[in-house]
Amino acid sequence: MINIIVAGFKGKMGSTATKMVIENKDFSLVGVLDPYAKESNLNEMAEFSEIDVPVFNEKEALVQSVDADVWIDFTIPAVAYANTQFALENGIRPVVGTTGFSETEVKKLTDLSKDKKIGGLIAPNFAIGAVLMMQFSAKAAKYFPDVEIIEMHHDNKLDAPSGTAIKTAEMIYAERGDHQQGHPDEKESIPGARGADYKGMKIHSVRLPGLVAHQQVQFGSTGEGLTIRHDSYDRASFMTGVALGCEKVMELDELIYGLENLL
């Protein structure tokens, strides 16, 4: 049995993760964390009325009260780094779906995990289909080096571009390397019209109500085009990957970036 904490349990992703842990026969939910929660136990919430799990406002109090193997984090970018560092320092394996980490932050956390010999996972996207989309895109880039990424999310998402889009661009760059695309003399009549630039690739971020998580990787070549797209219509689509991450980190002795590295 794997003992699990969920940080950010009141958010949409955190709530979905909490339900997944409760329903998984191999997992035991030992505590949940939210700094603004008024409840002291999950059973005070209608949707968890039969679940006896303590609620904590402070992570320090949480680790003093419960014994956990895995820390699932679906919080916000402003606190996710500190939470992940705290989990590692306290011997808890982080499984992090919060995005917005910089390369420097990921390296610091990876180095810390190696020092502590504790496994962990930071995944920009936990949907298996999204991971395949990134892998297929990287493969396609060998033959279609001209590419743009359009990512679309709900209007409450705080970071842009999405972690998935950045990870996709990194994987494409690892395959195609430096490549000049588009007209070298193009001009934006409105700043930002061409989107963000990652090593020559353009990334466009859409934020609208009604969306969940969607990404389209569009390739163009002489006389043909290729579009690779993934859509998450429900947050439940991420839970297979989250559950897999919780199981796999128990076997690791360092933090891994990207679910694709565990498949």
Side-chain angles (χ1 to χ4, degrees):
M1 187 71 68
I2 301 174
N3 291 339
I4 298 178
I5 292 164
V6 177
F9 79 100
K10 284 206 160 185
K12 291 180 179 178
M13 280 296 293
S15 176
T16 305
T18 299
K19 292 173 184 174
M20 179 275 293
V21 175
I22 291 169
E23 293 168 1
N24 192 307
K25 63 181 177 57
D26 297 320
F27 298 160
S28 176
L29 184 67
V30 296
V32 293
L33 176 69
D34 187 291
Y36 305 108
K38 305 292 189 208
E39 302 84 3
S40 60
N41 195 291
L42 268 184
N43 58 26
E44 296 172 38
M45 300 173 64
E47 60 186 319
F48 300 116
S49 59
E50 298 181 1
I51 306 300
D52 180 18
V53 172
V55 174
F56 296 89
N57 299 124
E58 298 178 350
K59 52 184 179 284
E60 292 80 8
L62 187 153
V63 297
Q64 291 171 7
S65 302
V66 301
D67 182 20
D69 302 306
V70 172
W71 177 299
I72 295 177
D73 197 287
F74 282 108
T75 55
I76 59 174
V79 301
Y81 175 78
N83 281 357
T84 307
Q85 182 181 40
F86 181 83
L88 289 169
E89 289 174 343
N90 284 274
I92 307 173
R93 299 160 181 83
V95 173
V96 184
T98 310
T99 57
F101 288 89
S102 68
E103 290 183 20
T104 300
E105 288 174 331
V106 172
K107 185 180 186 307
K108 286 181 179 178
L109 293 169
T110 302
D111 290 344
L112 176 60
S113 72
K114 290 177 180 177
D115 290 341
K116 298 284 187 179
K117 292 183 169 50
I118 298 173
L121 171 66
I122 297 175
N125 200 312
F126 277 101
I128 302 299
V131 173
L132 293 172
M133 175 263 297
M134 290 187 275
Q135 292 177 325
F136 295 160
S137 296
K139 184 173 183 178
K142 296 179 182 179
Y143 311 98
F144 292 83
D146 292 277
V147 55
E148 300 204 5
I149 299 169
I150 304 101
E151 57 95 348
M152 297 152 279
H153 285 79
H154 55 90
D155 57 339
N156 288 318
K157 184 170 176 59
L158 297 178
D159 57 316
S162 68
T164 301
I166 295 171
K167 180 66 173 176
T168 305
E170 291 172 347
M171 292 172 67
I172 289 173
Y173 180 75
E175 293 293 341
R176 80 166 196 179
D178 293 316
H179 175 71
Q180 173 64 46
Q181 63 179 65
H183 197 289
D185 298 323
E186 72 175 8
K187 297 289 188 296
E188 292 180 323
S189 57
I190 300 176
R194 290 289 292 118
D197 187 283
Y198 180 88
K199 299 184 185 298
M201 271 171 274
K202 298 299 184 182
I203 303 177
H204 310 271
S205 296
V206 177
R207 299 289 178 267
L208 288 171
L211 298 175
V212 177
H214 317 263
Q215 181 168 295
Q216 181 169 306
V217 186
Q218 192 149 337
F219 298 88
S221 186
T222 304
E224 63 177 326
L226 173 67
T227 299
I228 300 173
R229 178 175 172 127
H230 176 261
D231 297 278
S232 282
Y233 303 111
D234 190 290
R235 288 170 178 83
S237 66
F238 303 111
M239 292 305 112
T240 301
V242 176
L244 177 66
C246 291
E247 295 167 355
K248 291 291 188 180
V249 294
M250 299 298 293
E251 306 166 7
L252 302 175
D253 57 7
E254 67 177 85
L255 185 142
I256 300 298
Y257 180 64
L259 184 63
E260 71 279 1
N261 296 304
L262 298 182
L263 297 180

